[in-house]
Amino acid sequence: MRTTRQLVVAALATSAVATPVIESRQAGGSIDCALIPSPFPSWSQYPVQSSLPDPFLPLKYTTTDNAAGSSTFAKDIMAGKGQGRVKTPEEWYKCRQPEILQLLQEYQYGYYPDHSQEKVEATRSGNTVNIAVTAGGKTGKFRATLSLPSGASASKPAPVVINIGGMQNAPYLNAGIAVVGFDYTSVAADSNSKTGAFWDLYKGRDIGVLTAWAWGFHRTLDALNMTVREIDPDRVGVTGCSRLGKGALAAGLFDKRITLTMPMSSGVQGMGPYRYHGLSGQDETLENSKQGAGWWSNSKLGTFVNHHENLPFDAHTIAAAIAPRALVIDQGTGDQFTDSKGTAIVAYPGAKVVYDWLGVGDKIGMSVRSGGHCDMSGFSSILPFVQKVFFGTATTKNYNDLGTYKSPMTTAFPWATAVPKL
């Protein structure tokens, strides 16, 4: 039986995409936000930071013109001694988080399109959802495929995990979680060809394919909310593995409707650190990722090639900007490609410092398992965490256990010893 329901989405009010932060100085205890530098500094205006940059330090106070002749400026800001650091969670959410979202678009992802200028239309036929997005007189089309768990209905909607590239469906369906996939190549090809629904609308813009795939997740969610009443719009996960895990991370970053972000074996430009890149795997770096797949990111990231330690962010910054929403990261110790160890002992604990400080330390988890790159067992490994987020189900599995990697590399984030006191 064919069922069709068509609606239009004109705006995404809950979008997490950043807007410029304006410096305000008001009396009465109001929050002052540091002005974002305009234009954004080039790589040469940032100091070399061999350890993870301090996530509490605004860009305004990170550039070398703050050194005032000090020979220890870089060492000081890496140790959490920079001036103007964020002092409270309120300041984080009002000032620093929006700044991070904007700097990540400037330096890595490219600027996310203005969704208020888009019209989304969706039709459902059985388990297929057809999606059309129109902007500027152009239309891009793609489709998603739906698998519902037993018992899901409009009166009892199920949480959903949207994936690209495939996942382990059965355990999730058996747990009462819907699974939706869309063809990421029809949204944006994994190449420099600029083909697919996203580029039908936005060809010519300096935007990375990871952002295009993130856009695909978001427009799929729009379509599900319009046509699939058996799905709960307030319990939504996104996932993918390897380069698709990078895309899933971007999807979670740029849309506050995403309840849980689940990057799997994601590597550099995902949860793999730019610094400490050679701790395991094939040593995936900024340089070789830009050379091999430069289309994943915008052109500005390429200006940091051979200068990755000048980047004012790293993987932990991306993760921290997702808080207070949930994030679970999966890596296999036998992954021959991505830096699983660096993800587990550097990027994850660096991000968890921020989650803990914000009072949501239980919303971030690390799954370290045996097995290789994109091993499907990773989806079973993170399922208890997913069930905790979606259903409030208690789990005995410790998602702060780094397994055979043992302990965090605390020397990678010395600023953690100077976390702002609340």
Side-chain angles (χ1 to χ4, degrees):
M1 177 179 177
R2 181 180 177 86
T3 60
T4 301
R5 182 168 173 260
Q6 187 172 65
L7 293 171
V8 174
V9 174
L12 178 55
T14 54
S15 174
V17 178
T19 55
V21 177
I22 305 301
E23 187 169 31
S24 62
R25 299 196 178 280
Q26 301 175 1
S30 63
I31 296 172
D32 288 353
C33 292
L35 187 68
I36 296 178
S38 181
F40 274 87
S42 66
W43 71 266
S44 61
Q45 292 172 279
Y46 290 114
V48 172
Q49 297 188 69
S50 56
S51 58
L52 299 184
D54 180 1
F56 300 106
L57 187 65
L59 278 185
K60 178 178 179 178
Y61 304 111
T62 304
T63 52
T64 53
D65 57 4
N66 290 280
S70 171
S71 61
T72 63
F73 175 69
K75 181 179 179 181
D76 289 343
I77 64 171
M78 286 187 287
K81 298 177 182 178
Q83 65 168 321
R85 296 176 87 214
V86 168
K87 296 179 176 62
T88 65
E90 293 77 16
E91 190 178 358
W92 173 273
Y93 289 126
K94 181 179 179 180
C95 305
R96 181 58 174 154
Q97 185 183 59
E99 179 183 65
I100 291 172
L101 288 166
Q102 194 168 344
L103 75 87
L104 289 172
Q105 291 175 86
E106 174 72 19
Y107 290 127
Q108 176 164 306
Y109 291 109
Y111 283 89
Y112 192 97
D114 181 359
H115 182 50
S116 69
Q117 302 302 307
E118 296 177 343
K119 181 176 73 172
V120 179
E121 298 173 288
T123 61
R124 177 183 177 184
S125 178
N127 291 327
T128 300
V129 178
N130 295 293
I131 305 160
V133 187
T134 301
K138 301 174 182 178
T139 300
K141 298 179 179 181
F142 65 105
R143 66 180 55 182
T145 303
L146 167 70
S147 295
L148 290 171
S150 176
S153 66
S155 61
K156 191 180 178 181
V160 61
V161 172
I162 306 171
N163 79 93
I164 50 177
M167 62 177 285
Q168 200 176 36
N169 288 15
Y172 285 75
L173 293 170
N174 291 339
I177 300 167
V179 176
V180 171
F182 68 91
D183 179 8
Y184 65 93
T185 63
S186 67
V187 170
D190 185 18
S191 71
N192 208 28
S193 66
K194 308 295 185 186
T195 57
F198 180 83
W199 297 118
D200 288 342
L201 304 183
Y202 300 115
K203 187 172 291 185
R205 298 197 188 185
D206 186 10
I207 299 174
V209 164
L210 302 183
T211 306
W213 291 338
W215 178 90
F217 277 103
H218 303 156
R219 302 295 74 81
T220 297
L221 180 55
D222 290 340
L224 295 176
N225 289 343
M226 292 155 58
T227 63
V228 187
R229 292 182 176 177
E230 302 97 319
I231 283 177
D232 185 347
D234 296 321
R235 292 182 290 169
V236 179
V238 291
T239 194
C241 193
S242 194
R243 65 199 185 282
L244 309 181
K246 307 176 202 290
L249 182 66
L253 177 70
F254 289 127
D255 195 327
K256 288 182 178 178
R257 297 176 301 171
I258 307 303
T259 316
L260 172 61
T261 304
M262 306 152 56
M264 320 286 285
S265 304
S266 58
V268 158
Q269 299 184 43
M271 281 307 303
Y274 288 115
R275 300 158 176 88
Y276 306 97
H277 49 75
L279 297 181
S280 67
Q282 67 179 2
D283 194 15
E284 186 184 29
T285 65
L286 168 59
E287 289 73 25
N288 59 36
S289 67
K290 282 300 289 183
Q291 181 180 20
W295 52 86
W296 287 342
S297 58
N298 67 356
S299 63
K300 184 63 72 71
L301 185 60
T303 66
F304 285 86
V305 166
N306 299 320
H307 307 292
H308 68 273
E309 290 189 342
N310 294 84
L311 281 167
F313 69 93
D314 213 310
H316 71 302
T317 320
I318 302 173
I322 293 173
R325 293 174 293 120
L327 169 67
V328 63
I329 306 153
D330 179 77
Q331 293 287 155
T333 56
D335 189 336
Q336 70 271 41
F337 299 113
T338 66
D339 183 9
S340 292
K341 188 172 184 178
T343 298
I345 71 171
V346 174
Y348 161 71
K352 192 173 190 304
V353 172
V354 179
Y355 268 77
D356 287 342
W357 180 75
L358 292 170
V360 290
D362 63 331
K363 293 291 186 68
I364 186 170
M366 182 74 222
S367 160
V368 177
R369 55 170 173 78
S370 61
H373 187 66
C374 292
D375 188 325
M376 282 288 176
S377 68
F379 290 105
S380 294
S381 182
I382 65 171
L383 181 56
F385 191 95
V386 177
Q387 291 173 297
K388 181 183 75 168
V389 172
F390 284 161
F391 303 115
T393 308
T395 177
T396 58
K397 184 168 181 176
N398 180 6
Y399 284 94
N400 198 37
D401 182 357
L402 304 184
T404 56
Y405 296 141
K406 298 181 179 178
S407 302
M409 183 188 289
T410 56
T411 55
F413 40 96
W415 44 263
T417 62
V419 169
K421 297 191 182 302
L422 301 177

